[in-house]
Amino acid sequence: MRVISAYDPKEFKHVSTCQQCHTRLEVTIKDFLRVIHDQRDGSATVYRCPMCNHENWVDLKLIPPQFHYLLEKGKP
């Protein structure tokens, strides 16, 4: 078998702002702690701000689908 193309999780970066201290952050797949599935609000993934330790939610729709399996399994 030969791989034609693959997505490298190291290439994914998401720019986000902490909801508590308003620090702008560049978040990678490894920074997300867990996935939360909520029937009312939809699915999200969570990262913790390194400045204030606040947990911030990012809508799962903002994460490319090719990386979702890494979020569900844990750290890449």
Side-chain angles (χ1 to χ4, degrees):
M1 183 179 314
R2 182 171 67 104
V3 175
I4 305 292
S5 69
Y7 296 98
D8 186 358
K10 295 175 196 155
E11 294 176 9
F12 172 78
K13 292 177 176 64
H14 173 74
V15 176
S16 184
T17 302
C18 177
Q19 295 298 311
Q20 183 166 311
C21 69
H22 304 287
T23 300
R24 295 216 3 112
L25 303 162
E26 185 177 82
V27 185
T28 65
I29 288 292
K30 290 189 260 182
D31 297 319
F32 293 113
L33 304 173
R34 64 185 179 281
V35 175
I36 298 168
H37 299 287
D38 187 288
Q39 188 174 0
R40 289 177 301 150
D41 298 329
S43 297
T45 186
V46 179
Y47 72 89
R48 189 176 302 277
C49 176
M51 298 301 287
C52 68
N53 216 25
H54 178 75
E55 285 193 348
N56 293 279
W57 291 31
V58 175
D59 191 332
L60 208 53
K61 293 174 188 169
L62 297 175
I63 310 297
Q66 60 267 28
F67 298 122
H68 286 196
Y69 78 98
L70 294 170
L71 297 170
E72 297 290 340
K73 287 168 113 177
K75 306 282 187 224

